[in-house]
Amino acid sequence: MGIHFVCATADEVVGELEIAAHHRQPYGIVHGGVHSGLIETVASVGAALAALPRSQSVVGLENHTSFLNAVREGKLIATARPLMRGRRTQVWEATVTDAEGRAVASGRVRFLALEAGASLAGETVKVKESPKS
């Protein structure tokens, strides 16, 4: 998608995307899937960073994205913050704005935290160890 991460912590993730022709649908506006994917990506990074110290990984269970204003060009900025971080699930909320700060999409993503060794789609989940400070 071409997302550039501005910052990424367990408390906030900010990513930017410069709109290109392949991000637009036939009417010339950014495709809703781009907004959904951008929201899920920034939220996933934050959820993963929050789960990593517990030697967990996360997978998305639900993505609800609302499209607020159409946009055709420029830069999109997505900011995600946690609403709830539990032992087994997390919920993150994200807002996508244009370069002028106008909200163009918002969404919530719910995640399931997986322990190392759990089975996911027929494969064993491998979790990298948390980096030491």
Side-chain angles (χ1 to χ4, degrees), residues 48-103:
L49 290 171
L52 191 59
R54 294 188 305 272
S55 297
Q56 294 177 317
S57 61
V58 294
V59 294
L61 292 176
E62 182 176 51
N63 178 336
H64 179 90
T65 299
S66 296
F67 313 119
L68 306 173
N69 288 291
V71 63
R72 295 179 183 277
E73 58 188 19
K75 185 185 291 188
L76 299 177
I77 302 104
T79 303
R81 293 183 183 98
L83 292 176
M84 185 280 293
R85 290 181 292 204
R87 188 179 61 79
R88 298 292 299 158
T89 62
Q90 296 186 47
V91 178
W92 283 66
E93 188 167 61
T95 301
V96 179
T97 60
D98 62 14
E100 288 75 42
R102 179 179 68 141

Side-chain angles (χ1 to χ4, degrees), residues 51-52 54-58 88 113-120 123-129:
L52 191 59
R54 294 188 305 272
S55 297
Q56 294 177 317
S57 61
V58 294
R88 298 292 299 158
L114 299 172
E115 305 295 333
S119 179
L120 177 65
E123 299 281 329
T124 301
V125 174
K126 296 177 182 142
V127 180
K128 292 184 179 183
E129 286 192 28

Side-chain angles (χ1 to χ4, degrees), residues 1 7 14 17 31 38 47 80 82 85 96 103 108 112 115 130:
M1 285 179 61
C7 74
V14 178
L17 181 144
H31 191 285
L38 182 55
R85 290 181 292 204
V96 179
R108 283 188 179 182
L112 174 66
E115 305 295 333
S130 176

Side-chain angles (χ1 to χ4, degrees), residues 8-23:
T9 70
D11 296 317
E12 181 180 77
V13 177
V14 178
E16 298 178 338
L17 181 144
E18 193 68 39
I19 297 168
H22 62 272
H23 295 123

